[in-house]
Amino acid sequence: MQLPRGTRDILPEEIAKWHFLEREFATVCENYQYQEIRTPIFEHTELFERGVGDSTDIVSKEMYTFQDKGGRSLTLRPEGTASVVRAFVEHKLYGDVSQPIKMYYNEPMFRYERPQGGRQRQFTQMGIEAIGSDDASIDVEVISLAMEFITRIGLQNIKLVINSLGDKESRLKHREALVSHFEPHIDEFCSECQVRLHKNPLRILDCKKDHDNPLIQTAPSILDYLNEASTSYFNKVQTYLHALEIPFEIDPTMVRGLDYYNHTTFEIMSEEEGFGAKTTLCGGGRYHGLVKEFGGPDTPGIGFGLGVERILLALEKANIQTPAKKPLEVYVITAQPEAELKAVTLVNKLRKNGISAEKDYLKRKLKAQLKDANRKNAVYTIILGEEELQTGKYQLKNMETGEQESIFEDNLDIVIQKKLIDTKEEK
Ligand code: HAM
């Protein structure tokens, strides 16, 4: 039996890295006053068709859609925004007095894509959504949160790219310009782009088949079609980014693969060498129509999604060490079978006092237990022999220095805790 293509097991030896990222992300989000939200893994298919857009690759080609036994069409979520906005509307969070509602998530997503390094069919996104404000300072808050997380975990070789897709009026003008630009030559494009021309011409710009067609390079730039209000909004975002000293580039060709965006969009790429083709770590932007589309009041939102597997890949390429699992503090060794009961109670006592403790479970001989303690990098060992059982006094051995100290069982946890703190401080 093997894994389905495009999925991965995260083995115990890798989990410390995941826990590290989860902790850091939650810490940054909480500093920015975002609260976690958890939504179901599957939703009604219509949610993504209407939210993400049925002419996007995600909806038209990549969704895991199935019928349940009641004949409903359900889909494993391909992204997080549609579900969070649905929850915002369904639970009437727009009625809450503390607006905007700021939420974060950390969840698996599913897209039927061709697997390669950094691209999976089940992947994990850490993301945030701030719904209820159209102030440019929140755009910059969202971008700055993503940048802070990425730099806090140690990644340095990164690039922030921003763009504006403008408001409805600007987009309509740009759309007309795109149709006029592509229409005379549409025969040169794939059959899907021919359909996109009148349905959603912006999608031609991120077509995977036609991306080398020179007409894509010469296509009208959205920035030339932004009306005054959209330009002023975009300028404000840039002013705030400068004020926070967050370097960025503007890329007017960045259209993002989801239909709900308007105004600010952004991506953060890794510039790490040897990273491969899929370098976008994080993508996000504003969506002003989504809450209304799902039956709520006209409410603006903004957020991002960050690919955790890609972050891990970038950390690896940059050779960044993440904290390891909790070390083994005490290994209790038995020198004779009669000591087994004492070993069971002793590790239990140490663990209850917050000290990580381990013993042998394979009836190993003394020497093999010592070897096991070394293999597991135990900080201290205690050997339980005849004398220890009789006196209740144990030799605590520091495995690094070889120093030994004899301690009564009653004082053991306090002494060990103190020693562990002292060595940590020394280091
Ligand atoms: P997205 O650009 O489709 O945006 O995905 C965000 C991030 O998820 C990507 O930058 C990438 O790191 C990761 N990702 C996407 N697909 C895969 C895959 N097949 N394998 C591994 N990682 C992947 C969204 O999903 C939007 N919901 C972001 C957003 C939130 N916009 C506003 N709010």
Side-chain angles (χ1 to χ4, degrees):
M1 294 294 262
Q2 283 183 341
L3 281 169
R5 210 164 124 70
T7 66
R8 281 197 53 205
D9 294 313
I10 300 156
L11 297 174
E13 67 199 35
E14 302 167 79
I15 205 69
K17 287 188 204 155
W18 285 78
H19 288 166
F20 164 69
L21 294 183
E22 286 157 9
R23 265 196 319 268
E24 295 298 311
F25 189 62
T27 303
V28 177
C29 286
E30 278 154 24
N31 286 347
Y32 282 72
Q33 286 290 288
Y34 285 69
Q35 304 295 317
E36 187 175 359
I37 178 166
R38 298 185 186 182
T39 60
I41 280 187
F42 57 82
E43 297 269 1
H44 293 291
T45 303
E46 195 194 347
L47 181 83
F48 303 113
E49 286 170 348
R50 282 176 42 193
V52 177
D54 52 12
S55 50
T56 59
D57 275 0
I58 295 180
V59 171
S60 62
K61 300 183 195 160
E62 297 170 359
M63 293 209 300
Y64 279 90
T65 297
F66 60 98
Q67 269 203 353
D68 73 0
K69 290 192 178 7
R72 300 169 196 91
S73 178
L74 299 172
T75 294
L76 300 184
R77 65 169 169 232
E79 60 103 44
T81 313
S83 304
V84 172
V85 174
R86 186 220 17 89
F88 177 86
V89 174
E90 192 160 343
H91 301 284
K92 299 190 174 55
L93 300 184
Y94 47 79
D96 195 300
V97 281
S98 64
Q99 299 290 322
I101 303 289
K102 306 206 291 188
M103 294 162 276
Y104 77 89
Y105 49 89
N106 172 18
E107 300 181 311
M109 309 288 163
F110 306 84
R111 295 184 193 174
Y112 189 76
E113 291 196 83
R114 191 135 51 87
Q116 51 172 269
R119 192 154 79 190
Q120 296 176 200
R121 290 183 175 166
Q122 176 177 333
F123 59 99
T124 316
Q125 265 187 9
M126 288 174 172
I128 68 168
E129 310 294 343
I131 310 179
S133 162
D134 61 1
D135 194 278
S137 65
I138 202 123
D139 299 44
V140 177
E141 171 175 300
V142 166
I143 294 174
S144 132
L145 192 157
M147 293 294 279
E148 184 177 331
F149 169 69
I150 290 174
T151 45
R152 185 182 164 109
I153 57 173
L155 291 174
Q156 283 171 342
N157 249 335
I158 51 167
K159 181 169 82 174
L160 166 68
V161 178
I162 64 167
N163 189 22
S164 170
L165 298 179
D167 62 7
K168 218 172 184 176
E169 185 188 74
S170 313
R171 287 173 61 130
L172 274 175
K173 290 231 166 83
H174 181 233
R175 183 192 168 112
E176 281 164 20
L178 287 173
V179 174
S180 314
H181 176 77
F182 286 119
E183 201 159 29
H185 311 278
I186 197 66
D187 299 348
E188 298 168 24
F189 286 79
C190 71
S191 56
E192 286 166 67
C193 282
Q194 296 183 11
V195 176
R196 286 171 182 141
L197 180 68
H198 290 289
K199 207 171 165 194
N200 191 352
L202 201 67
R203 290 272 77 87
I204 299 179
L205 300 180
D206 66 348
C207 174
K208 286 181 186 129
K209 286 186 197 144
D210 288 319
H211 61 82
D212 288 335
N213 190 313
L215 282 172
I216 299 223
Q217 293 304 319
T218 55
S221 158
I222 176 71
L223 296 184
D224 295 331
Y225 292 84
L226 294 185
N227 59 16
E228 218 183 304
S230 302
T231 306
S232 136
Y233 194 92
F234 193 38
N235 287 341
K236 222 171 181 181
V237 171
Q238 293 175 55
T239 307
Y240 288 157
L241 282 173
H242 286 307
L244 296 188
E245 295 177 3
I246 299 176
F248 63 91
E249 286 174 21
I250 298 174
D251 178 0
T253 66
M254 188 181 73
V255 292
R256 310 270 303 121
L258 305 96
D259 274 352
Y260 46 64
Y261 291 116
N262 42 37
H263 287 289
T264 321
T265 56
F266 68 97
E267 288 187 355
I268 303 171
M269 283 79 160
S270 166
E271 307 235 89
E272 219 49 70
E273 239 175 79
F275 191 86
K278 291 282 131 201
T279 57
T280 308
L281 302 174
C282 174
R286 271 207 168 272
Y287 45 88
H288 282 192
L290 216 44
V291 176
K292 198 160 176 218
E293 175 72 31
F294 293 166
D298 207 357
T299 313
I302 179 164
F304 68 72
L306 212 147
V308 182
E309 289 80 1
R310 289 190 191 174
I311 292 275
L312 286 169
L313 215 61
L315 286 172
E316 194 184 309
K317 292 290 169 214
N319 235 333
I320 293 167
Q321 298 301 319
T322 52
K325 69 173 171 91
K326 179 166 187 179
L328 169 56
E329 289 160 345
V330 182
Y331 194 115
V332 177
I333 293 172
T334 50
Q336 56 192 97
E338 298 74 47
E340 181 62 20
L341 182 63
K342 183 85 252 167
V344 170
T345 56
L346 195 56
V347 287
N348 185 264
K349 184 175 174 192
L350 291 169
R351 289 166 180 168
K352 282 194 171 158
N353 282 294
I355 295 165
S356 65
E358 193 54 295
K359 65 181 276 299
D360 164 65
Y361 304 96
L362 298 179
K363 300 186 172 51
R364 290 183 180 97
K365 295 267 181 324
L366 177 68
K367 223 168 152 188
Q369 289 181 55
L370 266 167
K371 219 169 161 185
D372 194 37
N374 270 322
R375 203 171 24 232
K376 291 183 170 144
N377 283 323
V379 184
Y380 294 103
T381 52
I382 291 173
I383 300 182
L384 299 178
E386 181 94 48
E387 199 184 319
E388 285 78 13
L389 289 183
Q390 273 174 15
T391 59
K393 205 172 181 194
Y394 307 130
Q395 295 294 324
L396 184 70
K397 180 173 178 184
N398 182 320
M399 295 296 277
E400 200 178 52
T401 61
E403 275 167 35
Q404 296 212 44
E405 193 174 327
S406 122
I407 304 161
F408 277 110
E409 179 171 340
D410 282 351
N411 303 331
L412 206 53
D413 50 309
I414 299 167
V415 175
I416 294 175
Q417 261 155 356
K418 190 173 173 312
K419 279 180 175 293
L420 288 168
I421 293 169
D422 288 349
T423 16
K424 223 183 228 171
E425 277 168 4
E426 270 168 34
K427 280 183 182 166

